[in-house]
């Protein structure tokens, strides 16, 4: 479950977040790492952003919930105070953004998840979807998990600011997760949980993360996915591409990051204040050509894993960006 070519031992392959062909692209902010004139990015030391999704055997998250939570996790990391200025993650984030923007998604459960939770990072929660109707789910803000005595039910995580204090994050979030119900069936869906870590060198993965699996598990949506709520940013997946859950999670993270860097400061602040509400949906085939050619940010893949080089994977449809078209 990764942007890597899992058949190769070299590590993550390159996911191009900018169009490699000389075609017009939307203008981006001066502080964006996706500006076209970054011609020497391949010469810089390469870093990767690790994301770990929690997939318990008895109650894995749904595919859509995992994709949305991964996208929000990337935004939470980008806006964490430790990733800016003199923060403890700032140098690693700068090095990562000066090179190729790579993300790798791995999976963990049980003891693996608890060990991953001991490393510096942020755990972002989604919501366990309803099992009976096509009711539109409420997007949840990223939260840090609380000690057992205060742990909320898995179906109703508390609202919180996207900023999570270092003191709270110092706890082991996996140790404080509410236990799965003993009555849960193998088909039950749990709340999506993704932990994002500060970038690491390609060849410098912490041992707790390096041993986690990157392939062999996929996710699905047992119930029909409802339409996105009006006014919510939508990351539209290419309907003609068959991506694993991990690949799609990384691509959704790319799309969220592209949208973030193209937003004006006021629009960034509004999105952050909303808890980075967003939806990930597969685009209707009849709309894909219009979406991918609209001037909205488009993620194009380098083709090292799963799909052909240059494939458009996701379109970032943020209302503030659409208003500028």
């Amino acid at each position: 479950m990764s942007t890597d070519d899992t058949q190769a031992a070299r590590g993550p392959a390159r996911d191009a977040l900018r169009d490699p062909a000389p075609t017009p692209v939307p203008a981006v902010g001066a502080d964006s790492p996706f500006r076209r004139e970054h011609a020497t990015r391949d010469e810089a030391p390469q870093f990767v952003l690790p994301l770990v999704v929690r997939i318990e055997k008895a109650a894995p998250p749904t595919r859509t919930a995992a994709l949305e939570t991964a996208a929000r996790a990337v935004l939470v990391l980008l806006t964490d105070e430790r990733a800016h200025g003199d923060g403890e993650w700032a140098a690693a984030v700068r090095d990562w953004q000066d090179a190729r923007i790579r993300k790798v998604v791995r999976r963990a459960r049980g003891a693996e998840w608890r060990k991953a939770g001991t490393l510096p990072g942020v755990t972002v929660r989604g919501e366990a979807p309803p099992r009976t109707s096509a009711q539109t789910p409420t997007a949840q803000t990223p939260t840090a998990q609380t000690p057992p005595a205060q742990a909320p039910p898995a179906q109703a995580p508390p609202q919180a600011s996207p900023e999570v204090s270092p003191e709270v994050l110092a706890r082991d979030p996996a140790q404080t997760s509410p236990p799965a119900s003993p009555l849960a069936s193998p088909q039950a869906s749990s709340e999506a949980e993704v932990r994002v870590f500060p970038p690491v060198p390609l060849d410098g993965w912490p041992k707790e993360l390096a041993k986690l699996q990157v392939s062999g598990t996929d996710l699905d949506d047992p119930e029909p996915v409802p339409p996105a709520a009006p006014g919510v940013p939508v990351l539209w997946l290419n309907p003609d591409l068959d991506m694993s859950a991990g690949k799609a999670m990384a691509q959704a993270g790319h799309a969220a990051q592209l949208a973030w860097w193209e937003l004006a400061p006021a629009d960034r602040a509004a999105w952050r204040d909303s808890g980075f509400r967003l939806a990930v949906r597969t685009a209707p085939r009849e709309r894909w050509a219009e979406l991918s050619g609209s001037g909205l940010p488009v993620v194009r893949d380098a083709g090292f894993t799963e799909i052909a080089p240059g494939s458009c994977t996701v379109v970032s449809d943020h209302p503030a960006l659409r208003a500028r078209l």
Side-chain angles (χ1 to χ4, degrees):
M1 301 180 64
S2 164
T3 59
D4 299 20
D5 181 352
T6 57
Q7 301 302 315
R10 294 190 305 273
R14 295 172 184 171
D15 275 319
L17 297 188
R18 54 190 173 90
D19 185 353
T23 55
V25 294
V28 295
D31 56 349
S32 170
F34 307 118
R35 292 175 63 87
R36 186 177 291 282
E37 58 264 32
H38 286 205
T40 61
R41 297 173 73 198
D42 291 337
E43 301 172 11
Q46 299 295 302
F47 284 72
V48 63
L49 186 75
L51 298 103
V52 175
V53 56
R54 183 178 187 181
I55 302 180
E56 299 290 346
K57 269 188 175 181
T62 65
R63 181 183 177 96
T64 295
L67 267 59
E68 293 174 345
T69 306
R72 288 200 301 270
V74 171
L75 295 170
V76 170
L77 186 283
L78 288 174
T79 55
D80 193 288
E81 62 183 8
R82 289 163 289 181
H84 298 276
D86 296 325
E88 61 190 280
W89 301 344
V93 171
R94 285 194 296 268
D95 288 342
W96 171 58
Q97 293 184 145
D98 284 345
R100 287 283 183 176
I101 306 298
R102 306 182 180 187
K103 300 177 181 71
V104 173
V105 178
R106 302 193 174 199
R107 73 180 192 273
R109 66 171 181 260
E112 295 173 334
W113 175 256
R114 291 191 291 274
K115 288 179 182 177
T118 64
L119 300 178
V122 184
T123 295
V124 177
R125 288 176 143 189
E127 182 182 63
R131 302 294 298 173
T132 57
S133 69
Q135 177 183 359
T136 302
T138 301
Q140 299 296 309
T141 57
T143 63
Q145 298 176 346
T146 53
Q150 303 174 8
Q155 293 278 348
Q159 299 292 325
S161 166
E163 290 187 347
V164 186
S165 69
E167 291 78 10
V168 173
L169 289 171
R171 306 169 186 155
D172 177 359
Q175 296 277 12
T176 61
S177 299
S181 168
L183 300 179
S185 70
Q187 290 76 37
S189 296
S190 70
E191 176 186 62
E193 292 183 76
V194 174
R195 188 163 179 84
V196 59
F197 304 85
V200 298
L202 283 180
D203 56 355
W205 281 70
K207 63 181 181 179
E208 293 88 348
L209 303 183
K211 64 183 180 180
L212 297 179
Q213 296 296 314
V214 298
S215 63
T217 297
D218 212 335
L219 301 170
D220 60 13
D221 288 304
E223 302 289 341
V225 180
V232 172
V234 181
L235 308 179
W236 293 107
L237 301 173
N238 187 333
D240 296 320
L241 295 179
D242 184 16
M243 294 185 285
S244 68
K247 180 76 170 180
M249 288 173 69
Q251 299 297 303
H254 293 337
Q257 189 171 0
L258 279 173
W260 175 257
W261 282 111
E262 293 198 21
L263 288 171
D267 296 319
R268 290 184 183 181
W271 201 11
R272 181 174 182 171
D273 289 346
S274 78
F276 296 119
R277 290 192 68 196
L278 58 84
V280 178
R281 297 292 185 270
T282 299
R285 280 188 168 83
E286 64 274 14
R287 287 197 61 204
W288 179 248
E290 177 268 322
L291 285 166
S292 59
S294 64
L296 292 168
V298 178
V299 179
R300 295 181 184 269
D301 192 72
F304 284 77
T305 65
E306 298 192 22
I307 56 180
S311 298
C312 299
T313 58
V314 193
V315 173
S316 303
D317 192 355
H318 191 289
L321 299 179
R322 180 168 285 278
R324 288 171 15 192
L325 298 179

